[in-house]
């Protein structure tokens, strides 16, 4: 380059040179200050992150621990309720077995009473009355059938309540199993340490599970327990009803059986007494018939014996009527003979009347005797039937 050109170049001015240096220093100071601020901010962020991590970790730990305790408590309550349900179910089965046994026990006296009624219908017509024994047998049948119907209703209710208990128990057992799984998962989560398997980036894109409110979660188990208690209360009332019916069945069966035995015994006693009275009367009637026959025979014999004196008196009157006319006078002999004939005829009429009356009495006594003999036979038949019923 020619010297003239070198001389023409203008060097950096002093002011520009100082300005550039000051800008450089100012930029360095600004960068240093900004770095210091960012470093302080990073330290603060680091410190706050550690505190927040410790706080949130403690909250998570406490929340998991509280959830585990609550789950265990609810599971224990549900387990206790399942135990109570099993006890109640076993007790209900015992009551149902007792009711079934009582129904079987009531069948036999009912069948016996029905058979006794059928037998008593075969009594002779005069003895076939609606007496106390008949009413007692019908009462025994009606009471037994009523109790069987009532116990059948209890058994039907017992089957329904057993199904309800089993449904409550299955629901509680399923809830317990679910809570055990959930508790185990929470315990595993609580036992995890830092650095355990987990993708911090993946959790950010995780879809939050649609779950119910914690209150609903607790209420679900509480409602199941409450349903179990309500069903147990219903079962308890049903058990009391079954116990009362069993006691009533024992009492009714005993009282009606004793009533039937008492009525049949009284009927047999009365019938035996009446039979003896009829037999005594029959003996008296038989003796009277024998005496009446003897009396009738004697009366007839007396009537026959009157024929000879009557024939003699009438013969004498006839013979005296053959006297001469001037001798036919009404003397003492004539009047005596006429009076004798009249007396004999009157006596014969009286004897005939007495024979007729005695024959009527004899016929009535014979009919009475036949009625008594038939009555005795009927009472013997009735006594035999009532004895078979006893």
């Amino acid at each position: 380059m020619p010297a003239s050109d070198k001389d023409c170049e203008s060097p950096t001015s002093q002011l520009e040179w100082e300005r550039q240096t000051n800008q450089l220093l100012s930029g360095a100071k600004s960068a240093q200050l900004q770095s210091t601020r960012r470093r302080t901010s990073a330290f603060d962020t680091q410190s706050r992150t550690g505190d927040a991590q410790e706080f949130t970790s403690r909250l998570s730990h406490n929340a998991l621990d509280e959830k585990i305790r609550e789950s265990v408590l609810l599971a224990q309550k549900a387990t206790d309720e399942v135990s109570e349900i099993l006890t109640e179910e076993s007790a209900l089965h015992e009551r149902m077995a007792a009711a079934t046994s009582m129904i079987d026990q009531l069948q036999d006296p009912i069948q016996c009473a029905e058979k006794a009624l059928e037998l008593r219908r075969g009594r002779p017509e005069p003895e076939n009355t609606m007496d106390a024994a008949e009413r007692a047998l019908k009462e025994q049948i009606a009471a037994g059938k009523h109790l069987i119907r009532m116990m059948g209703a209890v058994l039907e209710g017992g089957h329904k309540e057993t199904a309800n208990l089993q449904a409550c128990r299955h629901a509680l057992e399923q809830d317990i199993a679910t809570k055990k799984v959930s508790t185990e998962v929470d315990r595993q989560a609580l036992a995890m340490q830092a650095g355990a398997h987990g993708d911090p980036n993946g959790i950010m894109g995780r879809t939050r599970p649609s779950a119910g409110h914690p209150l609903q979660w607790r209420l679900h188990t509480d409602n199941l327990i409450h349903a179990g208690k309500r069903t147990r209360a219903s079962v308890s009332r049903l058990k009391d009803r079954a116990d009362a019916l069993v006691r009533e069945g024992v009492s009714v069966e005993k009282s009606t059986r004793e009533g039937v035995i008492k009525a049949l015994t009284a009927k047999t006693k009365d019938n035996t007494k009446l039979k003896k009275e009829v037999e005594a009367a029959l003996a008296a009637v038989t003796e009277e018939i024998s005496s009446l026959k003897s009396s009738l025979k004697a009366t007839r014999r007396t009537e026959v014996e009157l024929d000879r004196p009557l024939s003699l008196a009438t013969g004498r009157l006839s013979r005296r009527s053959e006297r001469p006319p001037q001798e036919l006078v009404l003397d003492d002999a004539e009047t005596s003979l006429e009076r004798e004939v009249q007396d004999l005829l009157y006596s014969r009429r009286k004897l005939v009347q007495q024979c007729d009356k005695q024959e009527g009495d004899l016929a009535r006594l014979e009919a009475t005797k036949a009625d008594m003999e038939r009555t005795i036979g009927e009472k013997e038949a009735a006594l035999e039937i009532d004895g078979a019923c006893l």
Side-chain angles (χ1 to χ4, degrees):
M1 179 178 296
S4 59
D5 292 336
K6 288 182 180 179
D7 293 340
C8 291
E9 291 180 354
S10 58
T12 304
S13 65
Q14 181 66 26
L15 182 60
E16 182 66 23
W17 173 77
E18 289 178 357
R19 188 178 61 79
Q20 292 178 353
T21 301
N22 288 334
Q23 286 179 350
L24 182 60
L25 291 173
S26 177
K29 288 180 180 181
S30 176
Q32 182 181 3
L33 181 61
Q34 185 176 4
S35 176
T36 301
R37 288 176 179 173
R38 291 185 182 278
R39 182 166 46 81
T40 303
S41 176
F43 178 76
D44 293 340
T45 301
Q46 181 182 359
S47 178
R48 285 195 300 272
T49 301
D51 294 340
Q53 186 273 332
E54 183 179 357
F55 178 72
T56 55
S57 177
R58 187 166 59 252
L59 285 178
S60 298
H61 184 280
N62 292 338
L64 282 171
D65 189 57
E66 179 65 24
K67 180 63 181 299
I68 290 171
R69 285 198 300 270
E70 192 172 3
S71 294
V72 170
L73 179 61
L74 286 174
Q76 185 59 45
K77 288 173 64 178
T79 302
D80 294 339
E81 184 61 28
V82 168
S83 178
E84 293 291 337
I85 287 175
L86 287 173
T87 302
E88 202 72 27
E89 191 174 347
S90 176
L92 180 59
H93 285 159
E94 292 178 0
R95 299 307 195 282
M96 292 172 66
T100 303
S101 176
M102 179 52 62
I103 289 175
D104 294 337
Q105 291 177 18
L106 289 172
Q107 293 289 351
D108 184 59
I110 288 175
Q111 292 174 359
C112 290
E114 289 177 343
K115 184 178 179 181
L117 281 177
E118 187 65 27
L119 283 174
R120 297 190 93 237
R121 291 190 185 100
R123 293 175 296 169
E125 187 63 29
E127 297 293 325
N128 196 5
T129 59
M130 180 57 71
D131 51 17
E134 194 85 2
R135 290 191 296 271
L137 287 168
K138 290 183 177 180
E139 181 182 355
Q140 185 180 27
I141 294 171
K145 289 184 177 181
H146 174 70
L147 282 171
I148 287 175
R149 286 194 299 271
M150 297 296 290
M151 288 185 182
V154 168
L155 287 177
E156 184 179 355
H159 291 306
K160 291 181 180 179
E161 293 300 338
T162 299
N164 292 336
L165 284 175
Q166 291 176 350
C168 291
R169 178 166 55 86
H170 292 331
L172 285 168
E173 288 174 347
Q174 185 177 3
D175 188 70
I176 291 169
T178 304
K179 278 182 171 46
K180 285 182 178 179
V181 173
S182 177
T183 301
E184 183 62 28
V185 170
D186 287 341
R187 283 175 176 165
Q188 292 176 1
L190 186 63
M192 293 176 67
Q193 301 295 329
H197 296 289
D199 185 5
N201 295 323
I203 199 67
M204 299 306 294
R206 180 179 70 99
T207 302
R208 190 174 186 181
S210 59
H213 195 273
L215 180 61
Q216 294 178 343
W217 171 76
R218 285 188 292 272
L219 282 176
H220 176 68
T221 302
D222 289 339
N223 288 337
L224 291 177
I225 294 173
H226 180 69
K229 290 181 178 179
R230 188 171 60 249
T231 304
R232 285 194 296 111
S234 178
V235 169
S236 180
R237 291 191 296 272
L238 188 64
K239 287 192 304 179
D240 294 341
R241 178 62 175 162
D243 291 339
L245 283 176
V246 169
R247 290 193 299 269
E248 183 181 356
V250 173
S251 175
V252 167
E253 192 276 330
K254 181 180 178 181
S255 62
T256 54
R257 174 168 47 82
E258 290 176 351
V260 168
I261 293 174
K262 182 179 179 181
L264 283 173
T265 302
K267 178 68 174 181
T268 301
K269 184 178 179 180
D270 292 342
N271 224 357
T272 302
K273 180 181 177 181
L274 290 174
K275 175 175 171 289
K276 289 181 178 179
E277 291 177 356
V278 173
E279 287 175 345
L282 177 62
V285 168
T286 302
E287 184 178 355
E288 181 64 25
I289 288 173
S290 177
S291 299
L292 185 59
K293 284 182 178 180
S294 298
S295 175
L296 180 61
K297 184 177 180 182
T299 302
R300 286 174 177 171
R301 185 170 59 250
T302 301
E303 180 188 356
V304 172
E305 290 176 353
L306 285 178
D307 288 340
R308 292 182 63 189
L310 179 61
S311 177
L312 177 60
T314 54
R316 285 175 176 175
L317 281 175
S318 297
R319 184 62 178 167
R320 292 189 85 235
S321 63
E322 296 176 359
R323 290 177 298 165
Q326 62 275 15
E327 295 293 328
L328 293 176
V329 295
L330 190 60
D331 53 9
D332 291 338
E334 189 74 15
T335 55
S336 295
L337 285 171
E338 289 178 353
R339 187 181 303 112
E340 181 182 5
V341 170
Q342 291 176 356
D343 289 343
L344 289 173
L345 288 173
Y346 177 78
S347 296
R348 190 172 69 175
R349 286 196 301 271
K350 283 292 185 180
L351 288 174
V352 170
Q353 290 176 358
Q354 291 297 324
C355 286
D356 293 340
K357 290 180 180 179
Q358 287 181 347
E359 286 176 353
D361 291 339
L362 181 62
R364 284 191 294 272
L365 287 174
E366 292 286 355
T368 302
K369 179 182 178 181
D371 291 340
M372 287 182 174
E373 289 174 346
R374 185 179 65 255
T375 300
I376 291 172
E378 291 170 350
K379 290 191 179 300
E380 288 176 350
L383 285 171
E384 184 179 357
I385 291 173
D386 287 340
C389 293
L390 281 172

